[in-house]
């Protein structure tokens, strides 16, 4: 009878080589001469794990380590004992014919044998450590399957071995993937795992997927019922054969990109995250749309980004939280090291013994990418850029790659580096051993432009302190690599992380973080704006630049996959116009570019307040102020409102002074209400709710009674103050509209148009205006208001203005064009 100890699983998929694929396992006995003492003959029970590049033996005895037999170290393809004897007597030329004949008719003998000249020993007795390579004269290894046919196993092993031999001319990953799917096509989900007999499948059928974990893919079956999401592994390598996630527990639901293909989905609960990759985008969409209808209303999805932006602007969530949400929305995941969440370097002072977060000189310039912070190095990049003919780029490396992430995590996840480096740690001088050294490399080394990972702003210091006592080697200066060397201003790792987080949440960063967002997630990520911002990376790092499925040449496809998986992927572009800054001052409109930074406490005191009888300018802009019907976005940061409290329950986001009655103003708030406020009487007149979320902006359409307003949750509303109702709705790209109309240098045109043989209708036109030498270039978006639908037309207008007066009016946003069709 076997003891409980002999049943303990020690094998881990991280024992495989990078890009190696697991196929199956089987119970067996392995006969071999002891690797330490060849005079000792061993017969050990255990399991053989069949992989795309090796056979891995996991002995039942826990005192023994795991042994890897690599295909590259075998003298020939594994065969039966009879065939090996024939090979020794007949020679290699005839054994292949015998092998083909034996596999087709059913292999003879009960042993699978092969000769190898190397064995890789994986230490599983303690903390992860470099693998030991044992070299020897070719030695016979014999495997006796206990419950499966030799012919079945040998057929699979031979196919994998031959694929490995043709690795230079074949995309072996795709071929192995096909083998696995072919072998499991008849496998069915075990319905005995269902939590309740009343559960019903709500997909068309079960779906074969891969669960994506750091450096590991686990094949399995996805089964979605009306109550739960189940994942049944196809192999027993996982700790549990079934994973279950209640749909009501899902807190985040996002589409995911995998290997630059739209085939992924990620489900997150309070305790666990599941990243699944499908074979086709259609399968992913069926699951995503099905779950989207079932999850709770508060579940974060791709449509939640607008709400999160408003919450960040209003300081309801921290900079750290907002950056995490942006990463998740942009396909970044802790489960995929090729698309790991990216965070900015913030502090640049690693020399002084003390640090003052009130000193702006200690902060990194967030308007520039890492590669542009050193002018001399940037000049070298730019000169090389000019010489390129096509697919031009400034930086040949990326700011986020699996290698960088693994380097940062080597102390708390050493198994990642052991897999990446084929069983070894990197050279000591190349390891992450000091903060200052890493920063200096990032701004001086022409091959390093990396940003940070979220752990630099979290509380867990295990990636900085060598708690596992790993032997990471000795540098060339004779010093051992141990704990990460910290700046002088940090007494320990905990303090370093606390100061880093405080810097991230500082007023300086809050006022400038949107510039970095523009570079990584926004409009400066791609196109002409990226070139102007010195923010251009290799073209294959960008989404949509390559379709692996359309590449027919296997070697080219293999090379592209390596490029995608090893050299970095740029996040999904979330914003196509400048990202707004954070609200920071007394006025609810503070936080726009050029506005003074004030404390959060000062801002809270003035939430929802409107001027008692006049608008008071702050100290920076003294003088008389004329009330305008067109609210200039540039002036929003100049005024302080006080007097009438609780006009809106939260922030005031839109104001319009009524023509002919200077004491009345129409206001929109983040509480979703549109109100008419009498400043003289200090009272609220008309009031009605437009939507559940914030009103971001608006304008008068007709006779100071009909207003077009853009909420933050869904499209455009036409509100009538006369009848106190919403008379028209239209769905538009509200994220784009909100950002455009909230603070950018834009033109908002509400135009009554007359078209022959058609009734009159209202048309909203808004766009980005770029003024240069009297020339206006504008990207326009038009919305048909009266027909209650959007006309999503993007076009470029190139208008030439001849008079200086018109040009100045355009700059001041005080001009209205009347188009006649």
């Amino acid at each position: 009878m076997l003891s409980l100890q002999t049943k303990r699983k020690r094998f881990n998929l991280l024992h495989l080589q990078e890009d190696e694929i697991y196929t199956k396992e089987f119970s067996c006995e392995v006969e071999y001469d002891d690797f330490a003492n060849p005079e000792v003959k061993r017969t050990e029970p255990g399991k053989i794990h069949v992989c795309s590049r090796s056979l891995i033996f996991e002995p039942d005895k826990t005192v023994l380590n795991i042994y890897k037999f690599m295909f590259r170290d075998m003298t020939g393809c594994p065969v039966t004992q009879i065939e090996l004897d024939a090979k020794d007597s007949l020679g290699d030329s005839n054994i292949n014919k015998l092998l083909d004949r034996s596999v087709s008719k059913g292999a003879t003998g009960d042993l699978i044998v092969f000769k190898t000249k190397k064995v890789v020993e994986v230490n599983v007795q303690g903390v992860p450590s470099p693998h030991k390579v044992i070299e020897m004269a070719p030695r016979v290894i014999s495997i006796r399957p206990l419950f499966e046919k030799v012919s079945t196993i040998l057929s699979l092993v031979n196919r994998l071995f031959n694929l490995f031999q043709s690795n230079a001319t074949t995309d072996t990953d795709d071929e192995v993937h096909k083998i696995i799917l072919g072998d499991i096509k008849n496998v069915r989900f075990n319905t005995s795992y269902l939590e309740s007999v009343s559960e019903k499948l709500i997909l068309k059928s079960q779906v074969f997927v891969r669960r994506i974990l750091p450096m590991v893919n686990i094949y399995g079956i996805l089964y979605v019922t009306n109550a739960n999401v189940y994942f049944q592994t196809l192999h027993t390598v996982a700790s549990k054969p079934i994973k279950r996630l209640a749909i009501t527990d899902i807190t985040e639901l996002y589409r995911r990109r995998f290997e630059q293909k739209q085939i992924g989905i990620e489900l997150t609960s309070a305790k666990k995250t599941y990243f699944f990759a499908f074979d086709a985008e259609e399968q992913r969409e069926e699951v995503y749309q099905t779950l989207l209808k079932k999850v709770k209303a508060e579940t974060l999805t791709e449509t939640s980004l607008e709400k999160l932006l408003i919450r960040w602007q209003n300081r309801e969530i921290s900079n750290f939280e907002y950056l995490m949400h942006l990463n998740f929305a942009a396909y970044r995941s802790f489960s995929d090291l090729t698309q790991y969440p990216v965070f900015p370097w913030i502090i640049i002072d690693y020399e002084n013994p003390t640090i003052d977060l009130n000193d702006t000189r200690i902060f990194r310039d967030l308007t520039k990418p890492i590669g542009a912070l050193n002018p001399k190095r940037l000049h070298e990049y730019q000169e090389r850029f000019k010489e390129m003919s096509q697919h031009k780029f400034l930086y040949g490396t990326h700011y986020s790659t699996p290698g960088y992430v693994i380097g940062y995590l080597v102390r708390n996840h050493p198994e990642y580096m052991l897999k990446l480096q084929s069983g070894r740690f990197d050279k000591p001088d190349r390891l992450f051993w000091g903060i200052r050294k890493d920063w200096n490399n990032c701004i001086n080394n022409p091959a390093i432009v990396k940003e940070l990972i979220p752990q630099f702003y979290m509380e867990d210091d295990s990636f900085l302190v060598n708690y596992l006592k790993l032997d990471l080697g000795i540098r060339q200066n004779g010093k051992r690599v141990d704990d990460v060397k910290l700046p002088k201003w940090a007494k320990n790792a905990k303090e370093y992380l606390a100061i880093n987080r405080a810097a991230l949440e500082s007023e300086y960063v809050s006022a400038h973080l949107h510039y970095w967002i523009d570079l990584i997630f926004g409009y400066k990520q791609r196109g002409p704006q990226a070139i102007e911002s010195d923010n251009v990376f290799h073209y294959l790092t960008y989404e949509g630049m390559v379709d692996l499925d359309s590449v027919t040449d296997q070697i080219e496809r293999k090379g592209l996959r390596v490029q995608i998986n090893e050299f970095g992927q740029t996040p999904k572009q979330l914003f196509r116009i400048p990202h707004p800054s954070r609200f920071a001052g007394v006025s609810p409109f503070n936080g726009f570019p050029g506005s003074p930074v004030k404390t959060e406490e000062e801002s809270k005191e003035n939430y929802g307040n409107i001027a008692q009888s006049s608008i008071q300018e702050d100290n920076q802009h003294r003088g008389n102020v004329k009330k305008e019907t067109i609210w200039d976005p540039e002036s929003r940061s100049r005024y302080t409102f006080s007097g009438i409290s609780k006009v809106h329950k939260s922030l005031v986001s839109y104001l319009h002074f009524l023509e002919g009655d200077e004491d009345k103003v129409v206001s929109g708030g983040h509480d979703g209400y549109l109100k008419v406020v009498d400043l003289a009487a200090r009272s609220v007149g008309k009031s009605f709710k437009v939507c559940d979320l914030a009103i971001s902006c608006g304008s008068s359409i007709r006779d100071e009674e009909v207003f077009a307003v853009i909420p933050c949750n869904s499209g455009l509303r036409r509100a009538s103050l006369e009848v106190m109702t919403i008379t028209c709705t239209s769905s538009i790209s509200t994220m784009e509209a909100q950002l455009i109309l909230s603070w950018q240098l834009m033109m908002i045109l509400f135009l009554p148009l007359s078209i022959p043989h058609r009734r009159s209708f209202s048309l909203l036109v808004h766009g980005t205006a770029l003024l240069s030498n009297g020339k206006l270039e504008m990207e326009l978006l038009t919305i048909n208001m009266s027909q209650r639908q959007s006309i999503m037309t993007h076009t470029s207008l190139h208008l030439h203005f001849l008079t200086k007066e018109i040009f100045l009016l355009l700059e001041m946003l005080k001009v209205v064009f009347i188009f006649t069709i």
Side-chain angles (χ1 to χ4, degrees):
M1 179 177 177
L2 294 176
S3 67
L4 291 176
Q5 184 181 21
T6 61
K7 295 182 180 180
R8 183 172 66 88
K9 293 182 68 67
R10 297 166 297 146
F11 174 78
N12 191 309
L13 288 176
L14 288 167
H15 295 153
L16 277 62
Q17 283 193 311
E18 187 184 13
D19 296 331
E20 189 173 13
I21 300 174
Y22 187 92
T23 64
K24 70 174 299 178
E25 66 175 38
F26 61 90
S27 298
C28 64
E29 289 181 344
V30 177
E31 300 176 4
Y32 61 97
D33 297 337
D34 188 89
F35 303 121
N37 185 4
E39 302 299 322
V40 177
K41 306 293 183 181
R42 284 188 173 275
T43 300
E44 296 292 345
K47 292 183 182 295
I48 286 289
H49 302 275
V50 183
C51 307
S52 61
R53 299 180 186 177
S54 64
L55 301 177
I56 302 178
F57 176 47
E58 177 189 5
D60 283 343
K61 292 181 180 177
T62 57
V63 295
L64 297 176
N65 285 323
I66 288 176
Y67 299 102
K68 297 175 65 174
F69 307 110
M70 308 298 299
F71 289 157
R72 66 171 180 242
D73 299 325
M74 296 179 184
T75 59
C77 184
V79 294
T80 66
Q81 182 65 59
I82 295 175
E83 292 159 351
L84 182 65
D85 293 341
K87 181 176 180 178
D88 289 340
S89 60
L90 299 175
D92 290 343
S93 60
N94 293 318
I95 189 61
N96 290 331
K97 297 178 181 179
L98 179 62
L99 177 60
D100 293 338
R101 186 166 64 253
S102 66
V103 170
S104 63
K105 294 183 178 180
T108 57
D110 61 350
L111 289 178
I112 299 173
V113 295
F114 58 88
K115 288 184 178 181
T116 184
K117 53 189 177 181
K118 285 183 183 179
V119 176
V120 178
E121 183 177 359
V122 180
N123 178 21
V124 290
Q125 305 303 323
V127 298
S129 60
H131 301 168
K132 180 180 179 181
V133 179
I134 303 172
E135 298 191 31
M136 54 196 176
R139 188 176 300 181
V140 175
I141 308 295
S142 301
I143 302 171
R144 177 179 286 107
L146 298 181
F147 308 111
E148 298 200 39
K149 293 182 179 180
V150 169
S151 59
T152 302
I153 297 172
L154 195 58
S155 175
L156 173 61
V157 172
N158 286 337
R159 290 165 71 188
L160 296 173
F161 184 88
N162 290 331
L163 278 175
F164 173 78
Q165 294 289 84
S166 62
N167 187 48
T169 59
T170 306
D171 186 357
T172 55
D173 289 353
D174 272 359
E175 295 302 316
V176 173
H177 183 65
K178 292 176 183 177
I179 289 174
I180 294 174
L181 292 181
D183 290 345
I184 66 176
K185 61 183 178 182
N186 295 322
V187 179
R188 292 291 176 263
F189 177 78
N190 187 348
T191 55
S192 66
Y193 287 125
L194 293 179
E195 188 181 45
S196 170
V197 293
S198 63
E199 288 186 63
K200 302 296 182 183
L201 178 70
I202 57 176
L203 299 177
K204 294 178 181 178
S205 64
Q206 65 179 28
V207 185
F208 291 105
V209 298
R210 286 170 285 171
R211 184 184 178 193
I212 309 302
L213 293 167
M215 305 200 75
V216 167
N217 294 350
I218 301 177
Y219 284 80
I221 298 172
L222 191 67
Y223 197 85
V224 181
T225 72
N226 55 318
N228 295 289
V229 178
Y230 295 92
F231 176 67
Q232 175 183 305
T233 60
L234 295 175
H235 312 297
T236 59
V237 293
S239 57
K240 295 181 180 179
I242 199 79
K243 303 288 186 182
R244 182 183 68 85
L245 176 62
I247 293 178
T248 55
D249 290 340
I250 297 176
T251 58
E252 297 179 18
L253 173 63
Y254 286 106
R255 291 183 179 95
R256 285 286 174 256
R257 181 178 63 194
F258 183 68
E259 293 184 339
Q260 292 288 35
K261 295 189 289 186
Q262 288 292 339
I263 58 173
I265 189 174
E266 188 163 31
L267 321 174
T268 302
S269 69
K271 297 181 179 180
K272 201 69 176 176
T273 293
Y274 296 94
F275 184 151
F276 298 115
F278 298 77
D279 271 350
E281 184 177 357
E282 294 76 15
Q283 293 177 329
R284 190 274 304 275
E285 281 304 299
E286 180 192 1
V287 174
Y288 178 79
Q289 295 298 338
T290 299
L291 289 175
L292 197 60
K293 298 174 184 176
K294 300 287 291 183
V295 296
K296 296 180 295 186
E298 58 267 28
T299 298
L300 293 178
T301 65
E302 293 166 12
T303 61
S304 305
L305 190 56
E306 299 174 19
K307 304 176 188 177
L308 294 168
L309 187 151
I310 295 298
R311 292 186 64 198
W312 173 73
Q313 282 188 292
N314 294 342
R315 295 175 174 261
E316 295 174 14
I317 59 176
S318 66
N319 290 337
F320 177 87
E321 291 174 292
Y322 186 54
L323 287 178
M324 285 304 310
H325 288 306
L326 292 181
N327 273 281
F328 293 152
Y331 301 146
R332 315 304 282 189
S333 170
F334 288 107
S335 299
D336 186 0
L337 298 186
T338 69
Q339 301 181 93
Y340 206 76
V342 58
F343 268 62
W345 284 91
I346 296 295
I347 297 174
I348 64 173
D349 182 1
Y350 299 103
E351 303 289 342
N352 292 314
T354 60
I355 191 167
D356 180 6
L357 296 183
N358 293 316
D359 184 353
T360 59
R361 293 174 298 178
I362 63 103
F363 293 103
R364 168 254 185 103
D365 183 352
L366 291 167
T367 66
K368 298 178 181 179
I370 283 288
L373 293 179
N374 183 332
K376 180 180 178 182
R377 185 179 64 167
L378 176 61
H379 178 72
E380 296 172 358
Y381 289 141
Q382 291 170 334
E383 290 301 309
R384 183 182 63 181
F385 182 85
K386 293 176 184 177
E387 297 173 358
M388 294 181 180
S389 56
Q390 62 178 351
H391 297 315
K392 302 172 73 170
F393 58 85
L394 284 171
Y395 316 114
T397 58
H398 204 260
Y399 50 78
S400 176
T401 71
Y404 293 158
V405 176
I406 291 169
Y408 283 138
L409 300 179
V410 66
R411 287 167 181 79
N412 56 343
H413 290 289
E415 63 274 15
Y416 297 166
M417 182 168 287
L418 290 175
K419 181 169 183 175
L420 179 70
Q421 300 285 346
S422 300
R424 301 183 301 271
F425 291 130
D426 204 349
K427 294 181 179 179
D429 283 283
R430 288 164 51 94
L431 290 173
F432 171 46
W433 58 261
I435 302 294
R436 184 178 67 175
K437 171 255 187 182
D438 217 56
W439 167 251
N440 288 336
N441 278 342
C442 288
I443 59 172
N444 295 314
N445 191 321
I448 299 178
V449 291
K450 63 182 176 181
E451 295 278 10
L452 297 180
I453 57 176
Q455 282 82 347
F456 279 83
Y457 302 98
M458 301 168 74
E459 294 181 357
D460 184 6
D461 64 350
S462 61
F463 78 105
L464 298 173
V465 181
N466 188 12
Y467 289 120
L468 297 177
K469 302 302 179 185
L470 301 170
D471 184 2
L472 299 174
I474 300 174
R475 291 157 50 203
Q476 291 182 356
N477 62 4
K479 295 183 179 180
R480 178 170 294 279
V481 178
D482 195 26
D483 298 343
V484 173
K485 188 175 181 181
L486 303 172
K488 297 177 182 178
W489 41 258
K491 298 177 182 178
N492 52 54
K494 291 285 188 184
E495 184 179 31
Y496 166 75
L497 295 177
I499 294 174
N500 246 16
R501 179 60 179 270
L504 179 65
E505 305 299 341
S506 67
E507 285 300 335
Y508 177 88
V509 174
S510 292
H512 295 84
L513 186 58
H514 58 288
Y515 297 121
W516 186 82
I517 293 173
D518 286 337
L519 296 169
I520 306 300
F521 305 105
Y523 82 112
K524 291 183 178 180
Q525 183 197 93
R526 308 178 72 158
Q529 293 86 0
I531 297 175
E532 293 174 6
S533 304
D534 299 312
N535 195 38
V536 184
F537 296 85
H538 193 280
Y539 80 100
L540 286 177
T541 68
Y542 295 96
E543 182 181 17
M545 297 305 296
V546 63
D547 179 8
L548 287 178
D549 293 333
S550 66
V551 180
T552 57
D553 184 271
Q554 294 197 23
I555 300 305
E556 181 183 359
R557 185 168 63 244
K558 181 180 178 180
L560 290 173
R561 181 180 286 110
V562 170
Q563 167 75 30
I564 291 170
N565 288 335
E566 295 186 8
F567 294 96
Q569 297 182 44
T570 299
K572 173 185 176 181
Q573 188 176 20
L574 300 178
F575 310 103
R576 298 185 183 277
I577 59 174
H579 191 286
S581 62
R582 205 176 192 192
F583 297 138
V586 173
S587 167
F589 301 117
N590 274 334
F592 295 98
S595 64
V597 176
K598 299 183 178 65
T599 66
E600 186 172 4
E601 289 71 20
E602 290 175 320
S603 181
K604 288 180 179 178
E605 291 177 0
N606 290 274
Y607 276 11
N609 291 349
I610 295 183
Q612 175 178 345
S613 58
S614 63
I615 300 177
Q616 302 171 355
E617 285 194 282
D618 64 25
N619 292 332
Q620 295 183 9
H621 303 277
R622 293 189 179 276
N624 296 325
V625 179
K626 181 180 179 181
K627 298 172 182 177
E628 302 284 354
T629 55
I630 298 179
W631 187 280
D632 182 357
E634 286 283 310
S635 70
R636 291 184 177 184
S637 64
R638 300 180 182 180
Y639 307 116
T640 300
F641 299 93
S642 62
I644 306 174
S645 62
K646 298 182 180 180
V647 174
H648 291 277
K649 294 180 180 179
S650 57
L651 208 62
V652 176
S653 52
Y654 165 66
L655 287 178
H656 177 86
F657 294 94
L658 295 179
E659 285 285 353
D661 192 343
E662 295 185 352
D663 290 327
K664 288 186 179 180
V665 61
V666 176
S667 67
H670 283 193
D671 55 4
Y673 278 86
L674 196 66
K675 304 192 178 191
V676 178
V677 182
D678 190 324
L679 300 178
R682 303 185 188 183
S683 62
V684 176
K686 298 178 180 180
S687 172
F688 68 99
K689 192 169 185 178
V690 175
C691 59
D692 292 328
L693 290 182
I695 294 173
S696 64
C697 49
S699 181
S700 173
I701 295 178
R702 178 175 57 83
D703 300 332
E704 302 294 317
E705 282 289 345
V706 180
F707 288 78
V709 294
I710 295 180
C712 298
N713 62 340
S714 57
L716 189 69
R717 302 285 189 274
R718 188 168 69 176
S720 173
L721 294 178
E722 183 178 7
V723 295
M724 305 290 287
T725 59
I726 303 296
T727 60
C728 176
T729 63
S730 176
S731 296
I732 63 172
S733 177
T734 56
M735 170 62 72
E736 184 176 32
Q738 172 209 340
L739 298 182
I740 286 176
L741 301 183
S742 62
W743 60 267
Q744 280 300 301
L745 186 63
M746 299 296 162
M747 297 184 61
I748 308 169
L749 314 175
F750 292 88
L751 309 174
L753 301 182
S754 297
I755 298 180
H757 311 299
R758 287 192 182 184
R759 62 178 181 173
S760 298
F761 65 98
S762 298
L763 193 69
L764 165 67
V765 184
H766 63 85
T768 304
L770 175 63
L771 297 169
S772 176
N773 298 324
K775 182 179 179 181
L776 173 68
E777 297 182 8
M778 211 161 44
E779 289 289 333
L780 297 181
L781 175 64
T782 61
I783 299 94
N784 186 333
M785 291 287 291
S786 62
Q787 294 185 7
R788 306 192 179 201
Q789 64 183 10
S790 303
I791 305 175
M792 303 292 289
T793 305
H794 290 269
T795 183
S796 296
L797 295 184
H798 300 278
L799 306 176
H800 294 271
F801 297 96
L802 303 178
T803 66
K804 180 179 179 182
E805 289 75 17
I806 293 179
F807 181 77
L808 292 175
L809 286 174
L810 282 170
E811 286 185 309
M812 297 172 62
L813 297 181
K814 297 293 188 295
V815 65
V816 174
F817 293 96
I818 302 298
F819 294 93
T820 303
I821 299 179

